[in-house]
Amino acid sequence: EVIAANPEFEIVIVDDESDVVLRATNGALEDLLWATALAFLVVLIFFRNVRNTIITIIGLPVIIVSTLFFMNLFGISINQLSLLALALAVGFLIDDAIVVRENIMRWIGRGYTPHEASSQATAEVALPVLATSATILAVFLPVAYTEGFIGKLFRDFGLTVAIAVAVSTFEALTMAPMLS
């Protein structure tokens, strides 16, 4: 309406940051995919077994989707920092499952049935798994609640890592043994 009433006005786009944001977001998603692929390869190298690797890695999409769900509940948008936090956290996300899965395989190697091994091995490492996750939470939760401009900037980052680690711990103590 304003332009129709004032034909001498000209609309000029002075600066368009959408391309920069799009490239950065795509870069963060690409980093997330690379991190997942490299984590798969590292786990495969150490387990030397495709089945064990797949069982360990299969929890990763569940963890990421669950993290996205909880991010939404906490009002965290999908932005460059939250995507970077997810990419960074991929290694954290499967380390608990690796510990649980490796211990289960050790118990199976001792002659226990998969059901017995899953139950006993998970119970055996539950406390160290919880301690590892609590340590990571102790580092990243304060980042989310830092005051001032930096606090506002890193709130999404710290909370995303904290949520992802909490979800991955739950997955490692429930889904990983079940799949084993």
Side-chain angles (χ1 to χ4, degrees), residues 52-114:
N52 288 339
T53 301
I54 289 172
I55 288 173
T56 303
I57 296 290
I58 200 132
L60 199 52
V62 172
I63 294 166
I64 290 175
V65 169
S66 299
T67 300
L68 292 172
F69 171 78
F70 286 110
M71 285 170 58
N72 185 45
L73 285 181
F74 283 100
I76 301 170
S77 64
I78 297 176
N79 56 42
Q80 293 171 8
L81 283 175
S82 61
L83 287 174
L84 180 63
L86 282 174
L88 169 78
V90 166
F92 298 152
L93 301 184
I94 60 169
D95 66 347
D96 292 339
I98 291 169
V99 170
V100 170
R101 182 75 182 139
E102 180 63 28
N103 204 39
I104 290 170
M105 295 313 300
R106 190 170 61 84
W107 278 69
I108 289 174
R110 289 186 191 168
Y112 290 88
T113 66

Side-chain angles (χ1 to χ4, degrees), residues 123-136:
E124 185 176 63
V125 296
L127 190 58
V129 165
L130 289 170
T132 302
S133 297
T135 303
I136 295 169

Side-chain angles (χ1 to χ4, degrees), residues 22-43:
L22 181 62
R23 282 196 309 272
T25 303
N26 286 340
L29 286 170
E30 185 178 317
D31 290 346
L32 181 60
L33 292 174
W34 273 108
T36 303
L38 292 172
F40 179 86
L41 287 174
V42 168
V43 172

Side-chain angles (χ1 to χ4, degrees), residues 135-151:
T135 303
I136 295 169
L137 291 174
V139 171
F140 284 98
L141 273 178
V143 169
Y145 294 105
T146 303
E147 294 192 14
F149 176 74
I150 296 297

